[in-house]
Amino acid sequence: MDRREILSALPVFAGLSDRDWEKVVDLFGERQYQKDDYIFLEGEAPRTLYVVKTGKVKVLRHSTDGKDVVLRVVGPGQLLGSVGVFDGIGYPGTAQAIEDCTLLVISRNDCLTLVYRFPVFALTVINDMGIRLRSSAEQIRSLAVERVEQRIARTLIKLGQTAGADTPDGRVIEMPLTRQDVADMTGTTVETAIRVMSKFRRDELIHTRRGKVVLVDMDALMEIAEAG
Amino acid sequence: MDRREILSALPVFAGLSDRDWEKVVDLFGERQYQKDDYIFLEGEAPRTLYVVKTGKVKVLRHSTDGKDVVLRVVGPGQLLGSVGVFDGIGYPGTAQAIEDCTLLVISRNDCLTLVYRFPVFALTVINDMGIRLRSSAEQIRSLAVERVEQRIARTLIKLGQTAGADTPDGRVIEMPLTRQDVADMTGTTVETAIRVMSKFRRDELIHTRRGKVVLVDMDALMEIAEAG
DNA sequence: TCCTGTTTATGACCTGCATCATATTGTACC
DNA sequence: GGTACAATATGATGCAGGTCATAAACAGGA
């Protein structure tokens, strides 16, 4: 596969001019990861910036009592590790492959050089971080004031939008997702996540097969996400 | 007051070279706000980037049921409104003065021009956003897995660090802070915030006077913040 | 095919915190 | 000083959801 083709398709690099490509493309490498592989760990010295090419990665954060929290799910075309790479302190979360995936990689040094030479790339990073700050703000609000049912409905809808595909049955979330993952994304326990999802299934809002969720009644889900 | 002196003292502009100052300083204006004044509203078209000169501003987000969530408190030297200004969609939260304050302002257009001309300024924005993403991640983790006592202790400690001053009695949080504010910062209700703060006071961990909190026993507070 | 570990399921119980109600205290402004 | 309003305080009650326990369903490997 031609790496240039792939990079140019990624929104991350939409801003670069044609002649800049030559210098940029060669700086990137490519790495494969199996499902459940760790890409980097929380606190680790950030030596690499990643761009997801295929597959999905979850970023999570550990607590002392063992409870994990999934901060976000990163899909094709998105940056991974940018906060750590730019401030150099250490990755703020752990990145783990949700499914087999391919990541483009660039060393921290090359990345910083890139930004100095091409301001437009810095704007891309700013844009990426802006989106994440918006989404973080929404997640904070949701955790602070909403009940579990609402948060799970909201999370399913969002996953459907960012990682979904339309089928005759409804929108399918294209990733292997356990109830534990759902719980970690919504700040609840496995048991409660299972109960809520089971209720959704009984009420015909979703269909579930092992590691697969189909959003059947999107309207009803939005109703729950908005009000209660 | 000489605006140049003030800007140069702000970490936000630490990266600019001397000769760049001339072009930059004139782009900034200055505005005064009274306590409780709104600086901008959630969703509003972002026409201005702010830098806090003196005073403190809280950024909050409303929910449909009337419950507010305080996302962060912005103090001297920090950027305000950057997410909205850079993606142009609309400010992601409402900004309100916690106390009388002075803000430096620059129009969105001038700001974008600045970034194009001085890449180093873009790095400053990236740095600012990186810090906020770290802090958001921590807030999300805290809301997802910790109990109210922990979250309040943690919030008090953080406020003490970012907006505190040492006195014989202990570290004083230098801002008028109601229990409602504390509740909105920790995702709980006024009543619970009052109960927890009262308990802390009875246990001699803090002293409180109307709109003022002194962290007396920092060790005990950290104990609570970490474990329970 | 059986065995083993993971994921889903469901019940019983308990608690942290929201909710509602009702003072009391403090601050600002006549 | 007294009035008005916001902030603090505290009790009573209920419930969402956490915790613990047990088991069924399913997937993968020997």
Side-chain angles (χ1 to χ4, degrees):
Chain A
M1 280 235 224
D2 182 39
R3 204 168 297 139
R4 178 170 172 172
E5 271 184 73
I6 291 140
L7 282 173
S8 66
L10 302 179
V12 174
F13 299 96
L16 289 182
S17 75
D18 265 10
R19 63 177 175 76
D20 291 340
W21 277 108
E22 309 300 331
K23 306 157 191 161
V24 170
V25 174
D26 290 339
L27 299 176
F28 282 86
E30 201 169 313
R31 279 192 217 152
Q32 306 285 339
Y33 293 88
Q34 307 279 310
K35 178 168 152 59
D36 295 336
D37 279 357
Y38 288 105
I39 290 109
F40 53 76
L41 301 177
E42 191 174 334
E44 194 182 295
R47 287 190 234 288
T48 314
L49 178 72
Y50 302 81
V51 182
V52 178
K53 183 174 150 190
T54 64
K56 289 191 183 61
V57 175
K58 64 182 172 188
V59 178
L60 45 93
R61 217 176 152 89
H62 303 290
S63 294
T64 46
D65 59 358
K67 290 175 189 164
D68 289 348
V69 178
V70 171
L71 296 170
R72 58 179 185 132
V73 172
V74 187
Q78 289 190 285
L79 293 180
L80 181 66
S82 45
V83 170
V85 162
F86 280 94
D87 66 19
I89 300 173
Y91 293 113
T94 296
Q96 187 176 22
I98 289 182
E99 54 195 10
D100 292 356
C101 57
T102 311
L103 306 185
L104 302 176
V105 300
I106 180 172
S107 80
R108 175 161 191 254
N109 281 341
D110 288 347
C111 174
L112 295 180
T113 309
L114 212 65
V115 173
Y116 274 106
R117 275 211 249 146
F118 307 117
V120 85
F121 184 65
L123 284 181
T124 300
V125 174
I126 288 174
N127 191 55
D128 177 75
M129 288 186 169
I131 291 169
R132 286 165 57 189
L133 278 168
R134 279 181 191 276
S135 145
S136 297
E138 178 55 20
Q139 205 174 342
I140 287 167
R141 191 200 58 77
S142 179
L143 283 166
V145 309
E146 295 183 338
R147 288 184 291 119
V148 172
E149 265 202 6
Q150 281 182 273
R151 303 205 299 267
I152 291 184
R154 194 178 288 284
T155 298
L156 291 177
I157 292 168
K158 192 173 181 187
L159 287 174
Q161 287 167 351
T162 60
D166 281 320
T167 71
D169 295 334
R171 203 157 175 86
V172 177
I173 295 173
E174 298 277 15
M175 75 180 78
L177 200 67
T178 68
R179 304 298 132 108
Q180 182 67 59
D181 289 325
V182 173
D184 290 349
M185 284 191 266
T186 53
T188 185
T189 58
V190 210
E191 296 94 326
T192 299
I194 287 171
R195 275 184 245 263
V196 171
M197 297 282 282
S198 297
K199 183 172 180 301
F200 284 175
R201 189 168 43 69
R202 275 195 299 275
D203 296 349
E204 289 291 321
L205 307 185
I206 62 176
H207 288 166
T208 63
R209 265 194 295 266
R210 185 59 67 120
K212 181 179 161 185
V213 181
V214 187
L215 311 183
V216 179
D217 192 342
M218 190 66 93
D219 291 345
L221 280 174
M222 294 184 102
E223 179 89 20
I224 292 172
E226 290 313 323
Chain B
M1 278 236 225
D2 181 39
R3 202 168 300 140
R4 177 170 172 171
E5 270 184 74
I6 291 139
L7 282 173
S8 66
L10 302 180
V12 174
F13 300 96
L16 288 183
S17 76
D18 265 11
R19 63 177 174 78
D20 291 340
W21 277 106
E22 309 301 331
K23 306 157 193 165
V24 170
V25 174
D26 291 339
L27 299 176
F28 282 87
E30 203 169 312
R31 280 191 215 153
Q32 306 284 339
Y33 293 87
Q34 308 278 312
K35 178 168 152 60
D36 294 335
D37 279 357
Y38 289 105
I39 290 109
F40 54 76
L41 301 177
E42 191 174 335
E44 196 181 294
R47 288 190 233 287
T48 313
L49 178 73
Y50 302 82
V51 182
V52 177
K53 183 175 152 188
T54 63
K56 288 190 185 62
V57 175
K58 64 181 171 188
V59 177
L60 44 93
R61 214 176 154 90
H62 302 291
S63 294
T64 46
D65 58 359
K67 291 175 187 164
D68 289 347
V69 177
V70 172
L71 296 171
R72 59 180 185 132
V73 173
V74 187
Q78 288 189 284
L79 293 180
L80 181 64
S82 47
V83 170
V85 162
F86 280 94
D87 66 18
I89 299 174
Y91 293 114
T94 296
Q96 186 175 22
I98 289 182
E99 53 196 12
D100 293 355
C101 57
T102 311
L103 307 186
L104 302 177
V105 300
I106 180 172
S107 78
R108 173 159 193 255
N109 281 341
D110 288 348
C111 174
L112 295 180
T113 309
L114 212 66
V115 173
Y116 274 106
R117 273 212 249 146
F118 307 117
V120 84
F121 184 64
L123 284 180
T124 301
V125 174
I126 288 174
N127 192 54
D128 176 75
M129 288 187 170
I131 291 169
R132 286 165 58 191
L133 277 168
R134 278 181 191 277
S135 144
S136 296
E138 178 55 21
Q139 205 174 343
I140 287 167
R141 191 200 58 77
S142 179
L143 283 166
V145 309
E146 296 184 336
R147 288 184 290 116
V148 172
E149 265 202 6
Q150 280 183 272
R151 303 204 299 265
I152 290 184
R154 194 178 288 283
T155 298
L156 291 177
I157 292 168
K158 192 173 181 187
L159 286 175
Q161 288 166 350
T162 60
D166 281 321
T167 71
D169 294 334
R171 203 157 175 85
V172 178
I173 294 173
E174 299 275 15
M175 75 180 79
L177 201 65
T178 68
R179 303 299 132 109
Q180 182 67 59
D181 289 326
V182 174
D184 291 347
M185 284 191 267
T186 53
T188 184
T189 59
V190 210
E191 295 94 327
T192 299
I194 286 171
R195 274 182 246 263
V196 171
M197 297 282 283
S198 297
K199 182 173 181 299
F200 284 174
R201 190 169 41 69
R202 275 196 299 275
D203 295 349
E204 290 289 320
L205 307 185
I206 62 175
H207 289 167
T208 63
R209 266 193 294 266
R210 186 58 66 117
K212 181 179 159 185
V213 180
V214 188
L215 311 183
V216 179
D217 192 342
M218 190 65 92
D219 291 343
L221 280 175
M222 295 185 100
E223 179 89 20
I224 291 173
E226 290 312 322

